Amino acid sequence: MNLIVIIIGAIFVNNIVLNKFLGICPFLGVSNRVSTAVGMAGAVAFVMVLSTMVTWLLQRYLLDPFGIAFMQTITFILVIAALVQLVEIILKKVSPSLYQALGVYLPLITTNCAILGVAVLTIQNDFNLIQGVVYALSNAIGFGLALVIFAGLRERMDLANIPKGMRGIPISLVVAGLLAMAFMGFSGIV
């Protein structure tokens, strides 16, 4: 039952983007097209789950036993950077079109605070490895869900007659706020 609470809480109630405001850069930057948003969500999910597993193991078996927990942030950032390089190499070989579509945002996954935030929150919430992986995967699904919904809304906004002063980022921020309010409706579930 505990895993169900973690899953529902991470995807809907405490969405990493819409509730904790982590990962806003790719949320606003890659949400112009649904296809690009899906690719970014997949890349973020891969890196988020793998980095959470690796950082949990490093925290439990290296940083805590040797009393160097103060090195957590720099260690986690190095792990995330290495995993992003791995994703970049894989995407370049497997899907060059997606690699081109993601452009500059792919290396920005390294500095995506949602990935670092999930790794740190996993340790702070004192999750075991299974709970941490479920938490990371659920946050990745929540991030992807918010990103794809927002991308779909932005594609629809391109067809709408929006006043000149509200076009672009202003209307995107208004819509993102409304989307966050819609996700707040799930607050009573867990």
Side-chain angles (χ1 to χ4, degrees), residues 7-71:
I7 292 168
I8 292 172
I11 294 173
F12 298 111
V13 179
N14 297 316
N15 187 287
I16 198 78
V17 177
L18 302 174
N19 185 288
K20 297 192 184 298
F21 306 112
L22 297 173
I24 296 293
C25 179
F27 181 71
L28 293 174
V30 187
S31 58
N32 292 330
R33 299 279 169 253
V34 172
S35 59
T36 309
V38 168
M40 177 59 108
V44 166
F46 178 77
V47 172
M48 191 176 286
V49 171
L50 242 70
S51 66
T52 299
M53 287 176 14
V54 172
T55 55
W56 188 90
L57 291 169
L58 285 172
Q59 182 76 33
R60 293 291 183 242
Y61 297 110
L62 180 68
L63 300 178
D64 286 345
F66 290 106
I68 53 173
F70 62 90
M71 296 288 291

Side-chain angles (χ1 to χ4, degrees), residues 160-176:
N161 186 15
I162 298 171
K164 188 175 182 175
M166 288 297 290
R167 290 184 187 146
I169 295 295
I171 193 68
S172 295
L173 292 175
V174 169
V175 170

Side-chain angles (χ1 to χ4, degrees), residues 1-189:
M1 191 61 167
N2 191 19
L3 292 179
I4 303 287
V5 172
I6 290 172
I7 292 168
I8 292 172
I11 294 173
F12 298 111
V13 179
N14 297 316
N15 187 287
I16 198 78
V17 177
L18 302 174
N19 185 288
K20 297 192 184 298
F21 306 112
L22 297 173
I24 296 293
C25 179
F27 181 71
L28 293 174
V30 187
S31 58
N32 292 330
R33 299 279 169 253
V34 172
S35 59
T36 309
V38 168
M40 177 59 108
V44 166
F46 178 77
V47 172
M48 191 176 286
V49 171
L50 242 70
S51 66
T52 299
M53 287 176 14
V54 172
T55 55
W56 188 90
L57 291 169
L58 285 172
Q59 182 76 33
R60 293 291 183 242
Y61 297 110
L62 180 68
L63 300 178
D64 286 345
F66 290 106
I68 53 173
F70 62 90
M71 296 288 291
Q72 181 187 58
T73 303
I74 191 72
T75 305
F76 287 13
I77 289 172
L78 290 172
V79 167
I80 292 167
L83 289 172
V84 168
Q85 289 301 314
L86 179 68
V87 168
E88 196 168 353
I89 291 168
I90 291 170
L91 275 181
K92 200 172 195 178
K93 295 286 184 192
V94 173
S95 180
S97 60
L98 180 58
Y99 176 78
Q100 290 294 329
L102 291 175
V104 71
Y105 294 102
L106 188 58
L108 286 179
I109 293 175
T110 304
T111 59
N112 186 345
C113 55
I115 294 172
L116 179 61
V118 167
V120 170
L121 286 170
T122 299
I123 302 300
Q124 286 179 352
N125 290 330
D126 200 31
F127 289 145
N128 62 34
L129 185 59
I130 300 297
Q131 290 172 327
V133 169
V134 168
Y135 182 69
L137 184 60
S138 301
N139 272 300
I141 291 169
F143 177 83
L145 179 67
L147 187 63
V148 170
I149 290 171
F150 190 59
L153 291 171
R154 285 186 73 179
E155 282 185 359
R156 296 280 304 223
M157 285 189 300
D158 288 344
L159 304 173
N161 186 15
I162 298 171
K164 188 175 182 175
M166 288 297 290
R167 290 184 187 146
I169 295 295
I171 193 68
S172 295
L173 292 175
V174 169
V175 170
L178 292 171
L179 185 60
M181 288 175 56
F183 270 68
M184 284 178 59
F186 295 111
S187 295
I189 292 177

